[in-house]
Amino acid sequence: MLESASKGARFPIEEAHDADIGKNSVQSYNLQTNENFFLGVGTNSVELVLNKELDRETLQEINLLLTALDGGSPQRSGTVVIHITVLDANDNVPVFSQAVYKASLSENSPMGTVVLTVKANDADDGLNGEVTYDFGHVSEDVKSIFAIDYKTGDIKLSATVDYETVRSFELRITAKDGLGLTSYAKVIIDVTDVNDNPPVIYLKSLSNPIPEHLSPGTEVGIINVQDRDSENNRQVRCSIQQGVPFKLVPSIKNYYSLVTTGQLDRELVSDYNITITATDEGSPPLSSTKSVQLSVADINDNPPVFDEQSYSAYVSENNKPGSTLCSVSARDPDWRQNGTVVYSLLAGEVNGAPVSSYLSLNGDTGVIHAVRSFDYEQFRSFKVHVMARDNGSPPLSSNVTVSVFISDLNDNSPQILYPSQEGNSFMTELVPKAAHGGSLVSKVIAVDADSGQNAWLSYQIVKSTDPGLFTIGVHSGEIRTQRDISESDSMKQNLVVAVKDNGQPSLSATCSMYLLISDNLAEVPELKDISHNENNSKLTFYLIIALVSVSTFFLTFIIIILGLRFCRRRKPRLLFDGAVAIPSGYLPPNYTDVDGTGTLRSTYNYDAYLTTGSRTSDFKFVTSYNDNTLPADQTLKKSPSDFADVFGDSLETLEVGGHVFELGSCVHVFQPY
């Protein structure tokens, strides 16, 4: 019977048969006690009456014992077992094991992953109990992400999910049996976060360029960091690379300030490439970087610096005006106008004249030019100061010293100091007849205003009365005898001496030297034939003769007296040793002696200087400290006392031939110089 039979339904059963009749036949039935059926006996039938609705899912089969009783004595009975099979009816809907299913899905799960399995049971049998699964009312987006196995109820991932896009899904699942009875369940899928998003760095503000004079701790930019992940995966730490004068200071949540940590210097580093790194605390951690370009703006904080601490310029004298001497160069590490350098000469004086009258300076290139021609003999060097100034605001400057050295050219001929060649005067040296070879008889003294090798002088006799009698020191200018003087030698000796310097080209000067070989002035003939200049006028010639005559008489008288006195002590040949006395009046104050250069030498000490007061005829008695001429003990030495011995206690006046001479004006004692 169907389980769907309603209460009170009757199900007839076959009656019992008894061969007896009457009272001994079947008189009653008795049904085993149960809750589902009771026995309904009619006149002509026996029926099972349904007392309680059947439920196949609870009781699929029922066995009842039916007993038939007769009325005989003894009473007899017969039994039969009624086997009732309850037939299924589709009276049960599928039932899910859970009304709500929950599952967690990692966002990085691969496609095909089984998220969960739903299960529904149907108590019915056969086709009525076969359950199939499907999605209820869900969006197409969800259906594109998930799929369900209609037989097993497995919900699988058919596309990737992103926690940062959708964090959970809610699905409606249906379970349906074969005849269409349906039940529903809810599935909630939570997407779990995976650290799959690196931090993102946003530059909110930035001062660019930044001036180089910013003080440490100045904020130059604001950084914001975001991470789409959750919990620890979104906790971010920011850092900056080492070696830059900047740091990150945290401010409010996920914000950082970019501040300076030291003094900036554009001249050292003009641009900074700052790399900011943000790292989250996920496992494994993810990081990202951002580069920030910062330029340093220039300020005028550097003065120009010259390439050298000082400059030296060398120029030859007699240079052309406008010629280039040297160039100065200064560098300013600042930028643009702050680093543009302009040069100028500082005001000053050179030998009492403004420096601008000597030099000019190109303000752009720093090239120094000569304004005038220089003369080494006027000044040999001078210094000027050059200023380099930039065009910043305010401008900065620095100074440097430029030393100008003037080199000498051989532009000055030698100047003969002795014998003097001025005017019409001539000078005569007295040479003893007894002079031996090598005796010093005179000295030519010359100087050269040039310097160095241009002032190295050499002496040469270019013309002489007797070429073999006298020689001159090439570098000393000393005139000496080459041999002993003989009686056959001419009393009048005329020497022409050339003085040459060592310059290129060489310059020279000449002078005439007049020598008289005699031991006594009385032996000397008139000197009128010795003329310094044959082209002198007749009047000058007469004056010279007159002066020479007067001087000769006077000097002869003196020499005779002195000769008589000295002859008592010494041999006549030792009267004169040939040394020469040079009065200080012949030496210009602007010359100095340089030993070994052929100019003045200090090896002679001159004691006495005798003259008539006229420069037309000078005779000198000197002493020499040159041991190469005569022995020291034979050197003629004179002092005021020697003259006192000859002339008496008073040498103030002397009468010769009716003429009175004042000796005080013609006898001089020279100390060494």
Side-chain angles (χ1 to χ4, degrees):
M1 60 185 66
L2 293 173
E3 62 174 337
S4 60
S6 59
K7 183 179 180 180
R10 291 179 175 271
F11 300 96
I13 61 175
E14 185 178 356
E15 295 179 353
H17 298 276
D18 190 334
D20 295 326
I21 60 171
K23 187 177 179 179
N24 292 329
S25 64
V26 177
Q27 296 297 317
S28 63
Y29 293 90
N30 187 16
L31 183 63
Q32 180 183 353
T33 304
N34 64 90
E35 60 179 2
N36 296 105
F37 297 93
F38 64 89
L39 187 63
V41 179
T43 304
N44 296 315
S45 63
V46 177
E47 296 174 333
L48 288 177
V49 179
L50 186 61
N51 185 43
K52 180 181 179 183
E53 294 178 348
L54 298 176
D55 185 4
R56 194 202 65 82
E57 288 73 32
T58 302
L59 188 62
Q60 296 181 358
E61 294 181 351
I62 302 174
N63 292 314
L64 297 177
L65 184 62
L66 178 62
T67 303
L69 296 172
D70 59 13
S73 181
Q75 190 176 28
R76 292 184 180 272
S77 64
T79 61
V80 67
V81 176
I82 302 172
H83 181 77
I84 301 172
T85 300
V86 180
L87 299 177
D88 183 53
N90 193 23
D91 59 348
N92 290 283
V93 297
V95 178
F96 284 98
S97 59
Q98 296 176 224
V100 178
Y101 291 88
K102 292 184 177 181
S104 294
L105 176 64
S106 177
E107 63 175 327
N108 62 348
S109 298
M111 290 186 295
T113 300
V114 177
V115 181
L116 59 84
T117 300
V118 296
K119 184 65 176 175
N121 294 317
D122 195 321
D124 294 326
D125 190 20
L127 183 62
N128 296 331
E130 292 180 2
V131 180
T132 58
Y133 305 94
D134 200 358
F135 289 118
H137 297 287
V138 294
S139 65
E140 292 298 326
D141 292 338
V142 173
K143 288 183 179 180
S144 66
I145 297 175
F146 299 99
I148 189 169
D149 191 318
Y150 75 98
K151 287 185 177 181
T152 62
D154 293 338
I155 300 176
K156 297 180 180 179
L157 186 65
S158 58
T160 57
V161 294
D162 186 6
Y163 172 85
E164 288 72 38
T165 302
V166 181
R167 298 190 177 187
S168 66
F169 296 91
E170 186 173 315
L171 309 179
R172 187 176 176 84
I173 307 298
T174 64
K176 182 185 296 184
D177 60 18
L179 294 180
L181 295 180
T182 304
S183 62
Y184 300 91
K186 182 187 293 186
V187 176
I188 299 175
I189 301 174
D190 292 325
V191 181
T192 60
D193 183 46
V194 174
N195 191 28
D196 59 345
N197 290 283
V200 180
I201 302 172
Y202 298 97
L203 187 62
K204 293 299 183 180
S205 67
L206 182 67
S207 299
N208 195 17
I210 54 177
E212 61 178 325
H213 67 285
L214 283 181
S215 58
T218 303
E219 181 181 88
V220 297
I222 298 176
I223 307 298
N224 176 242
V225 183
Q226 298 290 338
D227 195 316
R228 298 176 60 192
D229 295 321
S230 63
E231 298 179 353
N232 289 340
N233 293 335
R234 68 180 303 171
Q235 301 301 316
V236 180
R237 300 185 308 272
C238 280
S239 62
I240 196 171
Q241 86 267 26
Q242 299 295 322
V244 294
F246 300 94
K247 69 177 180 178
L248 289 175
V249 178
S251 56
I252 59 176
K253 185 178 181 180
N254 295 330
Y255 281 87
Y256 296 85
S257 295
L258 181 64
V259 300
T260 59
T261 59
Q263 188 68 46
L264 304 178
D265 190 348
R266 191 205 67 84
E267 288 68 46
L268 295 178
V269 181
S270 59
D271 295 282
Y272 289 95
N273 186 7
I274 302 172
T275 301
I276 299 173
T277 303
T279 306
D280 61 28
E281 295 185 359
S283 181
L286 298 179
S287 62
S288 61
T289 60
K290 187 176 184 66
S291 295
V292 178
Q293 296 288 338
L294 275 178
S295 298
V296 181
D298 183 56
I299 62 171
N300 193 27
D301 58 345
N302 290 281
V305 178
F306 284 94
D307 294 343
E308 300 180 18
Q309 293 183 351
S310 62
Y311 289 85
S312 297
Y314 298 90
V315 59
S316 298
E317 63 175 333
N318 305 326
N319 58 292
K320 293 182 178 180
S323 58
T324 300
L325 300 186
C326 69
S327 64
V328 297
S329 177
R331 303 180 186 275
D332 194 322
D334 292 325
W335 195 45
R336 290 186 176 175
Q337 66 178 12
N338 293 335
T340 302
V341 180
V342 178
Y343 305 94
S344 62
L345 281 173
L346 294 180
E349 291 187 352
V350 177
N351 285 352
V355 67
S356 58
S357 64
Y358 287 89
L359 301 177
S360 66
L361 174 64
N362 188 313
D364 296 326
T365 63
V367 177
I368 299 177
H369 301 276
V371 174
R372 62 167 65 177
S373 179
F374 301 128
D375 186 359
Y376 176 82
E377 285 69 43
Q378 290 184 0
F379 54 90
R380 301 184 178 186
S381 65
F382 60 92
K383 293 183 179 180
V384 296
H385 298 284
V386 175
M387 180 179 68
R389 175 181 55 83
D390 59 29
N391 285 328
S393 180
L396 300 178
S397 63
S398 60
N399 300 337
V400 72
T401 300
V402 179
S403 299
V404 180
F405 297 95
I406 303 169
S407 59
D408 183 48
L409 293 179
N410 192 29
D411 59 345
N412 290 279
S413 300
Q415 181 179 352
I416 299 176
L417 303 180
Y418 182 84
S420 173
Q421 305 294 306
E422 295 181 0
N424 300 319
S425 65
F426 64 92
M427 304 187 69
T428 305
E429 301 287 350
L430 197 64
V431 181
K433 293 181 179 180
H436 293 289
S439 298
L440 177 65
V441 297
S442 185
K443 177 180 174 71
V444 176
I445 299 177
V447 294
D448 195 314
D450 296 321
S451 66
Q453 67 177 9
N454 294 331
W456 295 351
L457 302 181
S458 60
Y459 302 84
Q460 181 182 6
I461 297 176
V462 296
K463 182 179 180 181
S464 64
T465 303
D466 189 349
L469 181 57
F470 299 100
T471 184
I472 190 170
V474 176
H475 299 296
S476 64
E478 295 177 347
I479 300 176
R480 296 178 181 271
T481 57
Q482 292 193 74
R483 57 178 174 79
D484 293 345
I485 295 177
S486 64
E487 295 293 337
S488 63
D489 291 327
S490 174
M491 181 180 297
K492 302 177 183 178
Q493 297 288 331
N494 184 10
L495 303 180
V496 178
V497 177
V499 183
K500 298 175 63 177
D501 59 27
N502 198 38
Q504 294 294 331
S506 177
L507 301 179
S508 63
T510 59
C511 66
S512 296
M513 177 72 68
Y514 299 94
L515 303 178
L516 291 176
I517 302 175
S518 176
D519 290 330
N520 192 338
L521 288 180
E523 301 176 357
V524 180
E526 294 186 18
L527 299 177
K528 61 182 179 180
D529 295 334
I530 303 178
S531 174
H532 182 67
N533 189 352
E534 296 178 355
N535 297 324
N536 289 337
S537 65
K538 186 177 295 184
L539 179 60
T540 303
F541 178 75
Y542 291 148
L543 291 175
I544 293 174
I545 294 177
L547 291 173
V548 169
S549 299
V550 174
S551 300
T552 302
F553 286 118
F554 175 76
L555 293 177
T556 301
F557 180 78
I558 298 300
I559 292 172
I560 292 173
I561 295 175
L562 294 178
L564 293 175
R565 181 175 180 82
F566 289 123
C567 285
R568 298 174 186 175
R569 305 177 187 176
R570 303 178 184 179
K571 297 177 181 181
R573 69 182 184 89
L574 297 179
L575 176 65
F576 183 67
D577 65 354
V580 181
I582 306 302
S584 61
Y586 284 105
L587 302 179
N590 58 338
Y591 286 97
T592 58
D593 181 31
V594 182
D595 190 18
T597 64
T599 59
L600 301 182
R601 308 186 65 152
S602 58
T603 57
Y604 295 94
N605 184 21
Y606 307 102
D607 291 334
Y609 174 63
L610 303 180
T611 180
T612 62
S614 171
R615 300 189 64 185
T616 60
S617 180
D618 295 334
F619 293 90
K620 306 159 187 69
F621 291 90
V622 299
T623 59
S624 172
Y625 293 95
N626 191 337
D627 296 337
N628 295 328
T629 58
L630 294 177
D633 56 350
Q634 298 176 358
T635 301
L636 176 61
K637 298 183 179 179
K638 297 169 288 298
S639 65
S641 61
D642 297 332
F643 294 100
D645 294 337
V646 178
F647 297 104
D649 296 333
S650 175
L651 290 177
E652 294 181 356
T653 61
L654 180 65
E655 182 175 356
V656 179
H659 299 280
V660 178
F661 300 92
E662 287 191 30
L663 297 180
S665 62
C666 59
V667 179
H668 305 276
V669 178
F670 287 83
Q671 295 301 322
Y673 65 94

